[in-house]
Amino acid sequence: MVGIGVVDGIAIQKVFIYDNAPCDEHQREYLGADKETARLFTAIETAKDQLTRTAEKLAREIGSDKAEIIEYQINILCDKVFTDKILRNVESGSACEDAVKTTCTEYYEIFNNLDNDYLQQRKIDIIDIQVRLLDILNGRKSISALGSSTIVAAEDLTPSQVAEMELKSVKGILLEKGGRSSHSVIIAQSFGIPCIIGLRGLLNKLDECGTVIMDGKTGDVIINPPAELLADYRGKLDRETKNKKKLEAYISKAPITPDGVQINVYANIASAAEARMSLENGGEGVGLFRTELLYMGFSETPSREAQFKTYSRIAKDLGSKPLIIRTLDVGGDKEIAYLGIEKEANPFLGYRAIRYCLDHESLFKDQIAAVLQAAKYGNIKLMFPMISTMDELMKAKRLVNETKAELLSQGTEFADIPIGMMMEAPAAALMADAFAQHVDFFSVGTNDLIQYLFAADRNNDKVSHLNSYYHPALFRCVNAICTAALKHEIEIDICGHAGEAPDLIPIWIAMGISGLSVSIPSIPLVKKIICETRAKDARELLDKVLQFNTSGEVKEYLNTINGRMQAYDTGAIGSTQ
Amino acid sequence: MIQAQLEVRNELGIHARVANRISSCCQGFSSRIEAESGTAFMDLKSVLNVMILNVKYGEKLTVAIEGEDENEAFESLKELFDNKFGEK
């Protein structure tokens, strides 16, 4: 079958079918107190094991000391008052599943009725534990228990499910749903895991014993392939690996065009582990640290201390290389249950990112304080997402100043840092000239900018043909932002998918950008293209594409003027016409 | 039996991290360790009980400790509260 390939690459593996639909509410026959008790205790032990593994994994990857909420959930499973209640239900004739549900509901109600917002929110842990125990009792596999080297197949994956996965074992991801720019796809891209979305009806066709071939470039999925095809793809996979090896020569090269224009190549990251990976791949810093994962990996807001530890650790790892930390970009397709943002009809046009943070000053200031404190340990810059009006920028900057004053009065050490903003709302792009006088840098978030320019939801398949980063409207828009930035002599980077599209890189160079922030696996290729692009030729190319009317014309022109561009084609991310 | 009042002196009051520490501390002793809540007494070895007590900054918790190691248990618990559970 064929889906939409979103991260390039071939994988040939067995599949792990992850069924994450809620468990059925069917009544099960009571097996007697002894058997039910035994099942219950086994389930509780399994749940503890899963949580312990997840806690260790988060500590390793996100870099915070420990995930305290997970530890708290483990403690609940060890809580004799809690487990005795379930046990009494079992002894009086309930099946384990019902006994777990009854006790969890009881606690849920208690928490829900407490006159304390924080404790009320903590009913989430009770639900988490109930779901986990019922999943185990129903014989459902946990995503934290992947074997070595598998392709994961699921309907869709939530950020916390992605956080639980051991990504090193994941060789490919197949999703029945999923959006091009959804969190799971972004993570797959960071780790260079081939990924195909939109595979309707996939899970019913798979069986776990057979081999599956997937090609993230074409979107092809072949279940139980015949020997010939298998050999064919093994050959392709082999060539792919060799190509990657060749590009490794660029890891240590400086990205400078033959006529002497230097373009910084940064990485987009979401965790401390990725920061280290980016350095190994030749990254010259971090152009976008998405802090959402820090908030999504837990079931409560990470403390200022936990954030400080993560930020300062990454800053130290990067040394003098820049680390641009983007403040919390919640909302849109990134849900964080405990923040209690209501479901909206148009979440991408709704209460998200800076709009949410400006209304939640203490949460926002905690993050800002952690960033300012960490700035003593490296080259940190702060960036606000989704600014659309000057009022928002001014308020955000005022909150930074207030935070500084508070730190000063507490005698807490911190360092002053450059402040920048994302360019992703068309209103801000049109006002770039004004904004450039109030920030130290811009970073163009092309994924959101495109969906807002074309008024087309980036996660809706039916309108995805509109979200083309080959459209001249995008070039005109980014060019205007660049012109404003150059006029006021501030830095400008591009940090969306379009920034790493090989055939578009000359266009961005021509606009005068300072840097490209790209996914980690793309760094060597992006450097190679910069090293091979004359800025002078690029400027001629830019003049030409600005005059076209359609993305079709642009693509055709790029293909004809430069046959070699096709050889760079890294796949389908956002490249649909 | 020891009966005493302990004051919650950290700014955030009792939350998950603190509840982890209180219940873990209590689990280290064989004595019965309970806190008064309305008319009932609640076992402090239960992390969920500690949360549900809903004690806020500046409020006092009446604890009753009974058993062979009641003195040591009280000292440990008192130290934990006096140190604001390692917080502000």
Side-chain angles (χ1 to χ4, degrees), chain A residues 520-541:
Chain A
I520 297 163
S522 304
I523 295 171
L525 177 62
V526 171
K527 281 183 153 186
K528 178 178 194 290
I529 296 170
I530 293 168
C531 289
E532 292 173 353
T533 304
R534 279 183 183 282
K536 194 175 142 287
D537 299 343
R539 280 191 284 274
E540 278 171 32
L541 177 68

Side-chain angles (χ1 to χ4, degrees), chain A residues 224-386:
Chain A
N224 295 323
E228 258 169 66
L229 213 52
L230 201 58
D232 208 28
Y233 271 95
R234 286 240 156 86
K236 276 192 193 171
L237 184 60
D238 205 38
R239 282 195 295 281
E240 208 173 69
T241 316
K242 277 183 188 141
N243 271 339
K244 244 184 226 164
K245 272 263 174 295
K246 266 189 218 159
L247 279 174
E248 281 174 10
Y250 286 88
I251 288 176
S252 55
K253 280 217 170 115
I256 301 175
T257 67
D259 44 356
V261 178
Q262 187 179 340
I263 307 288
N264 299 311
V265 180
Y266 304 128
N268 297 333
I269 66 160
S271 66
E274 286 167 72
R276 289 189 292 276
M277 253 166 55
S278 77
L279 291 173
E280 289 160 14
N281 261 281
E284 298 172 301
V286 168
L288 171 63
F289 176 23
R290 302 183 167 102
T291 54
E292 294 78 64
L293 197 67
L294 225 58
Y295 289 74
M296 289 168 161
F298 301 83
S299 52
E300 69 171 352
T301 314
S303 66
R304 182 189 290 198
E305 289 73 26
Q307 292 189 59
F308 165 73
K309 274 183 195 153
T310 306
Y311 302 152
S312 56
R313 178 162 153 198
I314 299 176
K316 279 182 208 160
D317 284 346
L318 293 175
S320 62
K321 297 187 171 81
L323 165 63
I324 299 181
I325 300 178
R326 178 176 72 184
T327 60
L328 179 62
D329 187 10
V330 63
D333 59 347
K334 284 167 282 198
E335 256 185 84
I336 301 180
Y338 63 80
L339 294 182
I341 300 179
E342 285 170 28
K343 286 242 184 283
E344 297 178 343
N346 293 302
F348 275 111
L349 300 179
Y351 198 42
R352 59 173 294 203
I354 198 75
R355 302 169 183 183
Y356 175 88
C357 288
L358 290 179
D359 280 350
H360 294 80
E361 290 190 10
S362 87
L363 171 136
F364 193 42
K365 281 181 163 177
D366 263 347
Q367 183 171 34
I368 294 170
V371 172
L372 289 167
Q373 284 175 254
K376 281 192 62 81
Y377 300 91
N379 181 8
I380 292 184
K381 304 177 187 188
L382 184 69
M383 176 161 76
F384 304 124
M386 273 302 287

Side-chain angles (χ1 to χ4, degrees), chain A residues 73-114:
Chain A
Q73 291 193 1
I74 296 173
N75 280 343
I76 295 177
L77 289 164
C78 299
D79 186 333
K80 264 188 73 67
V81 175
F82 174 72
T83 51
D84 282 353
K85 276 191 184 170
I86 305 178
L87 206 57
R88 272 200 299 278
N89 289 330
V90 167
E91 282 161 358
S92 60
S94 291
C96 293
E97 288 87 340
D98 296 325
V100 166
K101 263 186 249 171
T102 308
T103 303
C104 286
T105 309
E106 195 182 307
Y107 273 101
Y108 180 91
E109 288 303 327
I110 294 174
F111 275 93
N112 201 29
N113 287 320
L114 292 173

Side-chain angles (χ1 to χ4, degrees), chain A residues 72 76 82 85 99-116 118-131 337, chain B residues 48 52:
Chain A
Y72 168 64
I76 295 177
F82 174 72
K85 276 191 184 170
V100 166
K101 263 186 249 171
T102 308
T103 303
C104 286
T105 309
E106 195 182 307
Y107 273 101
Y108 180 91
E109 288 303 327
I110 294 174
F111 275 93
N112 201 29
N113 287 320
L114 292 173
D115 65 337
N116 176 328
Y118 167 78
L119 288 173
Q120 234 185 56
Q121 282 290 319
R122 303 277 21 111
K123 63 194 177 199
I124 293 176
D125 301 307
I126 306 294
I127 300 173
D128 273 2
I129 284 174
Q130 176 177 331
V131 170
Chain B
L48 283 170
I52 291 165

